[in-house]
Amino acid sequence: IDLSADLFGQTLTSPLLNASGVHCQTKEELNDLANTSNLGAMVTKSATLQAREGNPNPRYYDLENGSINSMGLPNLGYDFYLDYVLQEQTKPTILSVAALSAADAITLLKDLQASDYQGPTELNLSCPNIVGEPQLAYDFEATDRVLNEVFSFYTKPLGVKLPPYFDLVHFDKIAAVLNKYPLTHVNTINSIGNGLWVDIDQEQVVTKAKGGFGGLGGTMVLPTALANVRALRQRLNDSIKVLGTGGVTSGEDVFAHILCGADLVSVGTQVMKEGLGVYDRLAEELKAIMAEKGYQTLADFRGKLKEL
Ligand SMILES: O=C(O)c1[nH]c(=O)[nH]c(=O)c1Cl
């Protein structure tokens, strides 16, 4: 059984990654990821031009069927993560970047273009937890404008992190925009934005910012994640890879993401619940499923979801 996968020319021994934001903010966390078996590649916490404290606590809450977070983009700043990927990385790493304005995104990517970094970058267009800021990728025209400007100067590997869409016409619209650009990949989905959880005993919300509205992750988002992976795989040019993120808690979920077309699969909430050992468990479970079904490689079943 061969779990190897390709990350923009680098062969990975496992198709599994961490979801950006989970265990990837500090040098210690990034080093932990580098030392985690069956984690084929890793993603940094989305970096902004300036370091950010993020939203006030409580800002992450574990739920029976997933999680809700309102982190607010806390990160050590773009310079720290650029230095990490240039000087420290020992495992294939995707640099995740974010911006609070289109202008900041351009500034950051112009600096990245001029830097020595030649590796993969992921532009986060979908953070749901910045007070007063929309998730950019829900505005198709704005997304088109930003990508048009970015690709007027950016020539290195670049993908985007997308929010979940819930309407087939929206899948059509975002794919029509993305297919215009030489993207290496899309990473779908980010958390389902602006969910709300109620603590019955206390009769109150469980996260502080935005009155308790926060992004949802974990097993409750799996059907939405699978739909977005499938819909975007069906619509995007073959040259654009699909990284599936959302709702993975078992080898079966990894198998389902790949069956829907995912090239690689990220795991976030389940790492918060189980720790980094989850990657060994997921790899073993996936291999067992493949053995039972007679599949030798991921390509044997990738994208081959059958319709009725
Ligand atoms: O609040 C966050 O930091 C956050 N939380 C998410 O669930 N997705 C994101 O992209 C970000 Cl940037």
Side-chain angles (χ1 to χ4, degrees), residues 141-164:
E141 289 73 27
T143 300
D144 196 354
R145 279 195 301 277
V146 169
L147 292 180
N148 189 56
E149 182 162 0
V150 165
F151 283 105
S152 71
F153 64 86
Y154 201 78
T155 61
K156 301 177 182 179
L158 183 67
V160 291
K161 180 74 171 279
L162 297 174

Side-chain angles (χ1 to χ4, degrees), residues 20-21 45-46 54-55 59 69-74 96 98 124-130 161 190-192 214-217:
S20 179
K45 171 64 186 175
S46 295
N55 290 337
R59 58 192 194 180
N69 92 83
S70 181
M71 305 304 288
L73 201 45
S96 175
N124 184 349
L125 299 176
S126 44
C127 179
N129 299 321
I130 305 299
K161 180 74 171 279
N190 206 316
S191 55
I192 296 180
L216 304 178

Side-chain angles (χ1 to χ4, degrees), residues 185-203:
H185 72 284
V186 303
N187 187 333
T188 178
I189 62 173
N190 206 316
S191 55
I192 296 180
N194 297 299
L196 184 66
W197 187 253
V198 174
D199 177 332
I200 300 299
D201 298 343
Q202 309 281 332
E203 303 179 15

Side-chain angles (χ1 to χ4, degrees), residues 247-255 270 281-282 285-286 289:
V248 174
T249 65
S250 71
E252 289 188 346
D253 302 339
V254 179
F255 184 84
Q270 195 57 25
R281 176 174 68 83
L282 295 174
E285 290 177 359
L286 178 59
I289 293 164

